[in-house]
Amino acid sequence: MALKQLASDLHMLPGLVNVYILETAEGLVVLDTGFPGRASKILDAVGSLGKTPADVKHIVLTHCHPDHIGSAAALKRETRATVWAHPLDAPMMEAGTTMRDGMCPSPGLRNRILAKLLAGKVATVEPVQVDRLVEDGDRPDFAPGMTAIHIPGHCNGQLAFHWDRHGGVLFPADAFANRRGLKLPVATEDPQLALASIAKLGKFDFDKICVMHGSPVMQGGAELLRQTVFDTFKKKG
Ligand SMILES: [Zn+2]
Ligand SMILES: [Zn+2]
């Protein structure tokens, strides 16, 4: 699918996992990389912006799952970009292991079926060297106005990002997806911690939510998340 422009300097490559491309004065930032085999698609998207692989300066990985880091090594090879991740997931990325044992399906039949289907499917990917570590509250300099938020639960080293542009943009990683409404991810390492992390995201102000799975929310994001946290996640998941 073709690259979609969400704001002047924010683009989304839609897919099973969305990949976001940010334009900064320094160059391009790629947020997550999709499953293995997606690097050429991402570079095509970069080309459609009139840029070259060398313009990609940063690759930011939200967590170690295979649908997010699968093409990171290939993309790093082509671009020589700096790779960013949380210290709890970086060792797994560097070993090419993608899942911790004991993932717990979220409530509902769909999640139970999908969790079973996906379990162990892509247990390893090409290892990728992480260059810069990002922790909770950091203001990483890959893009001005970005704040890192550590949101364990779905994955222990998972990072969300809040960007203070365009009325606020939240990149929630896999804290939740947008499938006709905000929904829990298929599975989590720790369901209680996952809910606490979602509540933590609800304290930020943002207009847009750039989910990794499903369609982005283009306005009223914080309000929608707060409403969902209280109405849905806590009751039925
Ligand atoms: Zn995930
Ligand atoms: Zn995912």
Side-chain angles (χ1 to χ4, degrees), residues 144-192:
M146 205 56 92
T147 302
I149 312 162
H150 182 215
I151 46 161
H154 170 70
C155 185
N156 208 16
Q158 184 170 241
L159 286 168
F161 292 94
H162 179 270
W163 198 20
D164 68 3
R165 290 178 62 82
H166 313 297
V169 182
L170 180 71
F171 299 93
D174 278 359
F176 53 84
N178 184 21
R179 300 188 312 269
R180 278 171 282 138
L182 305 186
K183 302 281 163 65
L184 289 172
V186 170
T188 57
E189 290 174 359
D190 181 332
Q192 284 307 317

Side-chain angles (χ1 to χ4, degrees), residues 65-83:
H65 289 166
D67 49 332
H68 300 259
I69 67 162
S71 294
L75 195 64
K76 183 176 185 179
R77 206 166 28 245
E78 299 293 327
T79 60
R80 299 173 179 271
T82 302
V83 172

Side-chain angles (χ1 to χ4, degrees), residues 26-30 53-59 79-84:
E26 204 194 320
L28 301 181
V29 180
V30 175
D55 291 318
V56 178
K57 301 297 184 196
H58 302 282
I59 299 167
T79 60
R80 299 173 179 271
T82 302
V83 172
W84 301 70

Side-chain angles (χ1 to χ4, degrees), residues 20-34:
Y20 291 94
I21 300 179
L22 282 56
E23 291 187 78
T24 73
E26 204 194 320
L28 301 181
V29 180
V30 175
L31 186 75
D32 280 345
T33 65

Side-chain angles (χ1 to χ4, degrees), residues 6 21 43 54 71 73 101 108 117 122 129-130 132 148 158-160 182-183 206 219 228:
L6 304 182
I21 300 179
L43 291 175
S71 294
D101 290 337
L117 276 176
V122 189
Q129 196 68 38
V130 175
R132 301 280 302 270
Q158 184 170 241
L159 286 168
L182 305 186
K183 302 281 163 65
F206 44 88
Q219 57 184 14
T228 313

Side-chain angles (χ1 to χ4, degrees), residues 11 22 37 58 83 94 102 107 114-116 161 174-175 193-194 223 225-226:
H11 309 267
L22 282 56
H58 302 282
V83 172
E94 293 183 339
L114 276 177
K116 209 167 209 172
F161 292 94
D174 278 359
L193 199 52
E223 202 176 310
L225 177 60
R226 283 171 202 141

